[in-house]
Amino acid sequence: IHYSHKHKDKYKDKEHKHKDHKKDKEREKSKHGSRYWMGMKSLDGKVKKEKENGFASPPHMKIEPEEDFYHSPKLAKSLKRERDDDNDLDFKPKKIKTENDKKAKKRKQEDEFLFLFLWEEERYTDGVKWKFLEHKGPVFAPPYEPLPSNVKFYYDGKPMKLSPEAEEVATFFSKMLDHEYTTKDIFRKNFFKDWRKEMTSEEKAKITDLKKCNFTEMSEYFKGLSEARKAMTKEQKLKIKEENERLLQEYGFCIMDNHRERIANFRIEPPGLFRGRGDHPKMGMLKRRIRPQDIIINCSKNSKHPEPPPGTKWKEVRHDNKVTWLVSWTENIQGSIKYIMLNPSSRIKGEKDWQKYETARRLKKCVDRIRAQYREDWKSKEMRVRQRAVAIYFIDKLALRAGNEKEEGETADTVGCCSLRVEHIKLYPENEGQEYVVEFDFLGKDSIRYYNKVPVEKRVFKNLQLFMENKEPDDDLFDRLNTSVLNKHLQELMDGLSAKVFRTYNASITLQQQLKELTNEDENIPAKILAPPKTFEKSMQNLQAKIDAKRDQLANAKRDLKAAKADAKGLRDDKSKKTVETKRKAVQRIEEQLMKLEVQATDREENKQIALGTSKLNYLDPRISVAWCKKWGIPIEKIYNKTQREKFAWAIDMAEKDFEF
DNA sequence: TGAAAGACTTGGAATAATTTTC
DNA sequence: GAAAATTATTCCAAGTCTTTCA
């Protein structure tokens, strides 16, 4: 086949240029990952044509490289060499499931296409993420529209016309008036300080006390606007929808290496007041408006780069194909960089996701060894080794996050494993009949409280006592450890291993086990798996409230019935008899409703068992669920909604019913 | 070597769209 | 057919981890 050489040469070229083998991982990744993505919506119609060949449709052949898709870098390398040496264009996957011979010839063609594409994908070595990238740039926040003159701001009871700059910031506050934030001291203090920066000197002189500011008219005005928006006619709503769709079509997609890909966040974040989570020292600060001169554009040299709005300039246009972002800017609250990147359905995100689960599957193979190792290390002579070993145990057993250190005063005070302080744990040699109990109580990511009482192994317990000796409550529990030391160690234990891999691994392996356990042949499976909503607890509470209300209602109805009966007994007329009947019916009806609610409640509670809830999107290998669906004939739509199906398209395509995590 | 910068994933809250209930 | 409840989507803060820099 003629087109082979060109590619071959390209490949060889690369090989010579890059002698370092650090990135073998990347190569190995694309080897099998491309299977799905290469068949995806393509721009030049090339793949589409192949699709007519039956190639890009769900595969009826299956490639089964040894070792569950994973090659150690070394192996990957040698496989590659082999091919290279053979000048191998009729490279065949090791095993092909053949259904019949008729299709064999066709399949061979497919293999050649497959090979070609694998070839193509293999170019991405040394961190290169794409070859071609073109997009339309970001959509900026709409400019500020001054308030109508009848909407006034009052200072100290008197109306006061603000300059547009000061007024805009005031509107940010007024829009949050109903929010708890605006009652918090830090929020108010930060807001007022930043607001004053936007004021004219006259305004600054006059407005000196936030308590004297009255934003209610402004607040009412915005409430009115949102009411009006809700009350719009069908046509008006449709018009807005169409406009949004137009914007999406124009700015919401980019072209990356022959694919038209959806962009995740093509709109620049509008200005507003920073809302931190928990006790964030910066809450209330002004998030300033992003202008074209703040924006760095990233695209390929040979693309048509986006034009800045008339009369403006980009900060920079660069061509860095070692990164995946299209647009970036520096945010003014923390000074961190924000990015515009692709949607989870894109090749670049999907491949990465897939890779993540492959890493977790590799952990499965050596987790026993690693566990044995850290248990051994609990006995180490070296303090840092012991601390490391106990930390890994927590990460593995309790799914704690790594816990990077954070700059004090810049963010809320939250911790993870490595940043735990003495004050965050309590030790109980005995507690409620269990030995060696550790009580965790700390604020984790997003200032969400982690509270847990767990019995641990004696050695762990003794070590913790040791770590806490002679320390103040606010001292680090693991004073000889940080995340970079920890991850360096993990990396040595397994290529690609870091703390968060344990979360992925443990979540996925547990899901698989649970599915196996809880699904039995003769049962009518389906309802079980239906994922409880993220708001599970809340909806459970709602339901409970309903049940309680219904009970009250029932009690009332019964009382009424009794009263009516008594009446009827006394009066003995038709009318009161009738009332008794209706009351009786009412009681009956309410009883039925109550029953229904109670059934609902137990159903929901039981469903929790295989809760696919929140972790579904980030920690559970989608192939497990996909395989389960295929095995039990459950439509995938029951598990994943549209967005999720797009994100996991690779898994839906890739996983067979016998997939094992 | 350690801090800072950079890139990318994770996850809650707000908001929009859709479905259910009354 | 409106209101309420539920579910989907968007938004963006807060993490993790890698790379760069001094």
Side-chain angles (χ1 to χ4, degrees):
Chain A
I1 301 175
H2 58 279
Y3 33 59
S4 63
H5 284 304
K6 204 175 91 200
H7 292 289
K8 184 108 307 180
D9 292 342
K10 232 195 260 177
Y11 181 76
K12 273 185 179 158
D13 226 41
K14 267 268 139 77
E15 272 304 285
H16 290 300
K17 256 187 238 162
H18 306 291
K19 275 294 163 200
D20 84 54
H21 298 166
K22 257 199 308 198
K23 300 285 167 161
D24 276 2
K25 247 192 300 177
E26 304 245 352
R27 250 171 259 159
E28 160 231 328
K29 155 191 102 178
S30 46
K31 199 166 272 171
H32 306 292
S34 46
R35 183 89 187 60
Y36 162 72
W37 286 283
M38 62 197 170
M40 241 166 45
K41 49 204 159 148
S42 166
L43 286 171
D44 54 12
K46 216 162 124 197
V47 172
K48 205 173 157 232
K49 206 171 128 217
E50 280 136 28
K51 184 165 186 159
E52 283 154 22
N53 273 341
F55 171 58
S57 55
H60 39 260
M61 63 167 191
K62 190 180 157 200
I63 307 163
E64 290 182 321
E66 52 288 281
E67 286 194 292
D68 295 23
F69 278 65
Y70 170 66
H71 304 294
S72 70
K74 227 176 164 182
L75 181 55
K77 191 88 198 176
S78 68
L79 279 178
K80 215 183 263 196
R81 281 271 155 65
E82 226 174 85
R83 261 190 265 157
D84 214 14
D85 293 342
D86 291 358
N87 199 7
D88 174 1
L89 223 241
D90 33 64
F91 151 67
K92 273 178 225 126
K94 296 270 160 177
K95 254 191 264 170
I96 297 171
K97 266 189 196 159
T98 329
E99 280 132 21
N100 57 56
D101 285 348
K102 251 199 287 176
K103 290 183 186 159
K105 200 177 161 192
K106 192 172 172 189
R107 211 160 278 140
K108 190 173 176 209
Q109 283 176 358
E110 289 170 343
D111 288 350
E112 280 154 7
F113 280 122
L114 170 59
F115 177 64
L116 236 194
F117 274 95
L118 289 173
W119 202 252
E120 286 291 314
E121 301 276 340
E122 298 237 15
R123 301 173 308 184
Y124 300 124
T125 57
D126 285 301
V128 170
K129 304 286 170 47
W130 46 261
K131 279 283 166 90
F132 181 83
L133 173 61
E134 182 170 283
H135 58 90
K136 289 300 222 44
V139 171
F140 288 94
Y144 178 63
E145 279 183 39
L147 294 171
S149 56
N150 62 326
V151 180
K152 293 194 176 69
F153 164 74
Y154 297 87
Y155 187 73
D156 211 5
K158 291 186 266 309
M160 179 175 175
K161 178 73 188 166
L162 296 171
S163 64
E165 291 76 19
E167 185 186 88
E168 180 178 10
V169 180
T171 64
F172 297 154
F173 193 84
S174 77
K175 282 177 185 167
M176 293 178 73
L177 230 45
D178 286 337
H179 206 288
E180 203 198 337
Y181 273 121
T182 56
T183 64
K184 293 188 178 175
D185 274 353
I186 303 176
F187 189 93
R188 295 175 68 89
K189 200 180 116 263
N190 286 333
F191 160 71
F192 196 56
K193 191 174 160 210
D194 280 3
W195 187 27
R196 282 176 59 80
K197 288 182 202 156
E198 302 299 313
M199 293 177 186
T200 62
S201 44
E202 295 81 54
E203 286 165 340
K204 218 183 272 184
K206 199 163 169 194
I207 302 173
T208 55
D209 185 357
L210 182 55
K211 284 207 283 294
K212 292 181 180 167
C213 295
N214 181 344
F215 302 96
T216 47
E217 245 179 51
M218 297 163 71
S219 174
E220 292 304 319
Y221 170 68
F222 290 116
K223 275 183 209 159
L225 283 188
S226 82
E227 284 306 309
R229 211 171 317 125
K230 269 184 225 155
M232 279 186 311
T233 65
K234 277 248 165 65
E235 296 77 55
Q236 289 170 311
K237 281 182 180 168
L238 190 67
K239 214 173 158 192
I240 290 175
K241 220 177 158 184
E242 278 169 354
E243 172 60 16
N244 278 334
E245 182 59 26
R246 196 189 61 76
L247 216 61
L248 175 69
Q249 289 304 325
E250 179 164 8
Y251 294 96
F253 294 84
C254 72
I255 293 167
M256 183 178 274
D257 292 347
N258 280 336
H259 296 301
R260 183 168 183 258
E261 303 265 36
R262 180 85 190 272
I263 297 169
N265 55 325
F266 58 93
R267 285 169 212 270
I268 298 270
E269 296 174 18
L273 303 182
F274 177 75
R275 302 148 98 106
R277 315 251 170 93
D279 267 332
H280 197 116
K282 298 195 169 186
M283 63 168 76
M285 283 174 64
L286 174 64
K287 233 173 76 163
R288 62 165 232 289
R289 182 177 290 272
I290 304 303
R291 306 151 304 173
Q293 65 260 41
D294 303 316
I295 295 289
I296 301 173
I297 298 287
N298 193 35
C299 60
S300 55
K301 269 186 197 144
N302 57 346
S303 77
K304 206 170 113 242
H305 75 249
E307 288 301 324
T312 65
K313 278 188 178 156
W314 301 126
K315 180 178 180 185
E316 184 190 335
V317 176
R318 69 170 72 155
H319 310 290
D320 182 355
N321 67 358
K322 305 269 178 81
V323 296
T324 66
W325 53 268
L326 320 184
V327 173
S328 76
W329 71 92
T330 302
E331 152 266 0
N332 70 303
I333 304 287
Q334 328 256 10
S336 62
I337 307 170
K338 298 250 179 167
Y339 304 93
I340 290 181
M341 291 185 191
L342 296 193
N343 202 61
S345 62
S346 60
R347 182 216 99 218
I348 207 144
K349 293 289 184 191
E351 265 185 17
K352 199 82 192 296
D353 206 34
W354 176 72
Q355 196 190 5
K356 174 181 79 184
Y357 291 112
E358 288 305 294
T359 306
R361 289 174 85 198
R362 284 192 286 124
L363 175 57
K364 181 188 176 184
K365 290 188 197 135
C366 60
V367 73
D368 290 341
R369 189 191 90 223
I370 288 169
R371 283 172 177 160
Q373 160 106 78
Y374 68 61
R375 297 172 66 87
E376 197 56 35
D377 285 347
W378 293 339
K379 296 182 272 184
S380 170
K381 289 192 294 284
E382 278 187 275
M383 188 57 144
R384 54 169 199 99
V385 174
R386 285 197 189 204
Q387 291 193 354
R388 199 177 65 195
V390 170
I392 300 174
Y393 171 74
F394 283 166
I395 287 167
D396 182 18
K397 184 181 163 102
L398 304 173
L400 298 192
R401 294 190 180 79
N404 289 305
E405 51 263 72
K406 318 160 72 184
E407 217 174 323
E408 215 173 326
E410 296 289 303
T411 58
D413 176 23
T414 62
V415 298
C417 185
C418 293
S419 49
L420 279 171
R421 297 190 297 261
V422 170
E423 60 195 336
H424 295 132
I425 66 168
K426 272 194 193 134
L427 304 181
Y428 301 96
E430 219 206 287
N431 185 281
E432 290 160 10
Q434 290 178 306
E435 279 189 312
Y436 309 121
V437 173
V438 184
E439 182 184 51
F440 292 84
D441 191 353
F442 60 88
L443 297 181
K445 184 180 179 183
D446 296 316
S447 290
I448 288 169
R449 185 175 175 211
Y450 180 91
Y451 179 83
N452 198 4
K453 251 184 187 176
V454 272
V456 300
E457 311 225 7
K458 183 175 175 184
R459 277 228 162 74
V460 170
F461 193 84
K462 295 286 172 196
N463 271 317
L464 288 170
Q465 285 179 322
L466 182 66
F467 303 160
M468 289 164 80
E469 251 170 39
N470 302 317
K471 280 189 191 169
E472 298 295 317
D474 62 347
D475 286 339
D476 284 340
L477 176 66
F478 301 115
D479 54 308
R480 308 286 172 84
L481 185 70
N482 62 41
T483 52
S484 96
V485 168
L486 181 90
N487 280 334
K488 219 165 269 165
H489 173 69
L490 292 174
Q491 172 64 41
E492 278 164 20
L493 294 179
M494 186 194 99
D495 184 39
L497 186 61
S498 66
K500 79 184 186 108
V501 180
F502 283 94
R503 279 172 87 86
T504 313
Y505 162 70
N506 279 315
S508 289
I509 200 78
T510 308
L511 171 68
Q512 186 169 70
Q513 281 161 1
Q514 292 262 304
L515 285 179
K516 262 188 194 154
E517 232 169 78
L518 293 166
T519 321
N520 65 59
E521 207 101 18
D522 32 68
E523 200 177 339
N524 213 359
I525 315 135
K528 258 194 169 170
I529 196 74
L530 297 181
K534 225 176 11 184
T535 48
F536 181 84
E537 288 305 328
K538 208 180 104 202
S539 81
M540 209 61 204
Q541 278 168 14
N542 284 345
L543 196 55
Q544 196 52 53
K546 267 191 195 168
I547 290 173
D548 292 345
K550 198 52 83 178
R551 287 221 171 94
D552 284 353
Q553 203 186 341
L554 182 63
N556 283 336
K558 277 185 174 164
R559 192 158 7 87
D560 284 358
L561 175 61
K562 226 174 198 171
K565 267 185 186 164
D567 276 358
K569 216 168 186 179
L571 294 168
R572 294 183 173 279
D573 62 350
D574 273 1
K575 201 181 152 208
S576 52
K577 263 191 204 162
K578 237 181 199 161
T579 349
V580 171
E581 257 329 289
T582 46
K583 297 281 177 197
R584 200 195 300 282
K585 278 204 178 128
V587 169
Q588 211 170 21
R589 202 180 61 235
I590 294 166
E591 270 175 342
E592 275 168 16
Q593 288 170 343
L594 180 61
M595 202 105 80
K596 231 165 106 185
L597 285 174
E598 278 169 343
V599 168
Q600 240 183 62
T602 50
D603 274 4
R604 244 185 247 187
E605 192 62 49
E606 277 166 11
N607 272 346
K608 201 165 72 172
Q609 282 184 52
I610 343 180
L612 288 183
T614 320
S615 45
K616 183 157 79 167
L617 241 36
N618 294 316
Y619 292 119
L620 303 175
D621 189 331
R623 289 171 296 182
I624 298 170
S625 305
V626 170
W628 184 84
C629 283
K630 286 185 179 166
K631 182 165 177 188
W632 299 96
I634 292 161
I636 199 79
E637 293 78 18
K638 294 263 181 208
I639 304 275
Y640 294 126
N641 66 31
K642 186 166 82 61
T643 319
Q644 292 164 167
R645 289 199 300 277
E646 279 167 19
K647 170 168 177 176
F648 297 136
W650 60 271
I652 294 170
D653 193 58
M654 202 182 273
E656 303 286 336
K657 68 177 193 298
D658 54 351
F659 171 83
E660 277 271 337
F661 175 77

